[in-house]
Amino acid sequence: MKSSFKVESKYLEVICEGKWLPEHVTDMLMSTRLKAMETSRDRILLNWAQVSAPHAEFDRYLAGKDIATLCPPPLRVGVHYPAEMINKFAEDTAVNRGAGFFVCGDRAEALAWLLDGDA
């Protein structure tokens, strides 16, 4: 999975593309956390519009667990992912472990959730 960063005024956008593999997700989240710290951003938009479906459902569980571990509060992570590939398993896994995490098929909705509460 390839990823690039775009620093916005209120959030960090991570644009990803390629194959969803657990080790790639972990690496991307680690580099995202570092970039968020470097840029003083606690809101992160993961643009996964060009990421494949995971090979196995367990990969979604691992991603949710990694989100909770690598991006804990005060970090808040919203994901834009194709609606037909969303089943909320990764989101439920992360949220149940205390993460601020939301996945949806609409970029504007993901961004609105991410920035909710900002002036």
Side-chain angles (χ1 to χ4, degrees), residues 42-64:
D42 62 359
R43 310 290 171 111
I44 300 165
L45 177 65
L46 298 180
N47 182 337
W48 273 37
Q50 300 299 315
V51 174
S52 70
H55 178 70
E57 283 303 297
F58 188 66
D59 295 347
R60 294 179 193 268
Y61 167 80
L62 293 173

Side-chain angles (χ1 to χ4, degrees), residues 21-88:
L21 295 172
E23 59 272 19
H24 294 167
V25 173
T26 301
D27 290 345
M28 180 273 304
L29 290 172
M30 290 189 325
S31 63
T32 295
R33 182 181 63 188
L34 289 173
K35 187 69 169 182
M37 290 176 6
E38 286 173 11
T39 60
S40 299
R41 299 296 183 276
D42 62 359
R43 310 290 171 111
I44 300 165
L45 177 65
L46 298 180
N47 182 337
W48 273 37
Q50 300 299 315
V51 174
S52 70
H55 178 70
E57 283 303 297
F58 188 66
D59 295 347
R60 294 179 193 268
Y61 167 80
L62 293 173
K65 192 173 168 195
D66 277 352
I67 285 284
T69 302
L70 298 172
C71 299
L75 294 179
R76 187 172 169 103
V77 180
V79 180
H80 170 226
Y81 193 54
E84 65 275 6
M85 294 196 285
I86 297 171
N87 68 9
K88 299 290 190 172

